[in-house]
Amino acid sequence: MGRNTWQFDMKEKERQKRKRRNPVWRGVGCLTIVVLTIAAFYFSGWFLAQNQANPMIYLPPEAIRPPFAASLPPFLIVRLVISFIFMVMAFGALSLIYAIAFPMQLGETDAPPMKRERRRPR
């Protein structure tokens, strides 16, 4: 009984070791969030400058300088909203690219895909 417990313990430690990710990937994720935030903020500034030069989207005066936040600089809330939208879209694009480049692989605890039966014509 003792030997089996020891073997199970060794296999469990090996499984846990394989499951653990390299801490570098956490740094890459943190760096990605920081870079996306900075890029989104600069993109929103560029977009608003282009929108003032060639009006593509109508921005009402209430959106540019909202009455409930008159002390804030103009365009700040619009810039933050555009930044958030850009961040969501950029993160979605990065996730899609990552999913295509590195598809999920079944692990030891996952069920195999179901086999479909072919239907015979009557």
Side-chain angles (χ1 to χ4, degrees), residues 49-93:
Q50 293 298 319
N51 193 38
Q52 281 185 337
N54 302 323
M56 298 174 275
I57 298 174
Y58 172 70
L59 295 173
E62 292 84 15
I64 295 170
R65 187 179 283 276
F68 63 85
S71 62
L72 292 177
F75 290 104
L76 180 67
I77 294 180
V78 175
R79 190 170 185 180
L80 292 175
V81 169
I82 292 172
S83 296
F84 180 75
I85 292 170
F86 177 77
M87 281 177 54
V88 169
M89 292 175 64
F91 183 75

Side-chain angles (χ1 to χ4, degrees), residues 16-45:
Q16 292 298 329
K17 192 175 182 182
R18 274 188 281 149
K19 271 182 159 180
R20 236 179 278 140
R21 291 198 177 173
N22 194 334
V24 172
W25 286 114
R26 280 184 259 157
V28 169
C30 183
L31 186 66
T32 303
I33 290 172
V34 170
V35 168
L36 276 179
T37 305
I38 293 170
F41 194 72
Y42 281 117
F43 171 78
S44 65

